[in-house]
């Protein structure tokens, strides 16, 4: 646990030092991913076990790393047939975060390009956006369980919307920082 906290602190520090924050509002509708409904295979294969995360939350390199490690996908074997593997890898890379797009710059800011992150929850941007939410409201909350369950608090997560003005933590209510 202390190793995870140290990683989180290092990622936040790297994020903060990588850009000048003036806390300008951002528009979630500018996210860099494709609408999730564009790929039924992604919804079926990935969405059967967890939220089919918006492809624009991770870079193409991150998606490549995830897709080549499906035999050990966060402790589970999630291997796919070769056709589905190829289709999903292409889809995720094509719609992954692109450093040339405004919203992707925010998601990718502060990440190490040598080792692409494979957990959205380890992105410096994610950590910064969630750093004020007490652990007891997430991991200590049966209705949430972990920060990786975006859909528990973000009602429109499946549509790629993570607007903090619409954030509702089960058993707690609307979160306003």
């Amino acid at each position: 646990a202390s190793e995870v906290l140290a990683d989180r602190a290092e990622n936040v520090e790297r994020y903060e030092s990588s850009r000048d924050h003036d806390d300008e509002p951002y528009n979630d509708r500018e996210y860099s991913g494709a609408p999730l409904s564009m790929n039924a295979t992604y919804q079926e294969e990935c969405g059967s076990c967890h939220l089919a995360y918006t492809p624009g939350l991770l870079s193409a390199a991150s998606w490549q790393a995830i897709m080549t490690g499906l035999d050990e996908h966060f402790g589970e074997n999630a291997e796919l047939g070769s056709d589905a593997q190829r289709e999903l890898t292409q889809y995720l890379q094509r719609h992954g975060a692109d450093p040339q797009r405004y919203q992707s710059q925010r998601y990718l800011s502060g990440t190490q390009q040598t080792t692409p992150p494979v957990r959205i929850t380890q992105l410096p941007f994610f950590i910064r956006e969630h750093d004020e939410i007490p652990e007891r409201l997430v991991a200590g909350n049966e209705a949430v369980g972990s920060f990786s369950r975006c859909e528990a608090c973000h009602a429109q997560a499946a549509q790629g919307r993570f607007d903090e003005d619409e954030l509702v933590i089960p058993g707690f209510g609307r979160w306003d920082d």
Side-chain angles (χ1 to χ4, degrees), residues 16-67:
E16 295 297 337
S17 66
S18 70
R19 58 178 272 121
D20 178 26
H21 277 304
D22 58 6
D23 282 330
E24 77 280 1
Y26 69 92
N27 181 349
D28 281 317
R29 287 171 287 286
E30 294 180 26
Y31 90 97
S32 66
L36 299 180
S37 61
M38 286 183 66
N39 192 291
T41 305
Y42 182 55
Q43 284 289 349
E44 182 181 323
E45 294 292 346
C46 302
S48 66
C49 295
H50 57 73
L51 174 70
Y53 296 102
T54 302
L57 292 175
L58 290 173
S59 69
S62 294
W63 287 117
Q64 178 66 35
I66 289 169
M67 295 303 292

Side-chain angles (χ1 to χ4, degrees), residues 35-111:
L36 299 180
S37 61
M38 286 183 66
N39 192 291
T41 305
Y42 182 55
Q43 284 289 349
E44 182 181 323
E45 294 292 346
C46 302
S48 66
C49 295
H50 57 73
L51 174 70
Y53 296 102
T54 302
L57 292 175
L58 290 173
S59 69
S62 294
W63 287 117
Q64 178 66 35
I66 289 169
M67 295 303 292
T68 58
L70 290 178
D71 60 327
E72 188 57 40
H73 185 65
F74 306 106
E76 300 290 329
N77 184 337
E79 289 179 294
L80 300 168
S82 60
D83 289 345
Q85 173 98 12
R86 186 173 33 264
E87 176 188 349
L88 294 183
T89 300
Q90 290 172 354
Y91 169 74
L92 292 167
Q93 287 185 313
R94 184 172 51 252
H95 297 293
D98 176 348
Q100 303 307 310
R101 294 187 191 126
Y102 171 73
Q103 193 62 33
S104 291
Q105 290 171 4
R106 295 183 66 95
Y107 293 142
L108 298 176
S109 182
T111 60

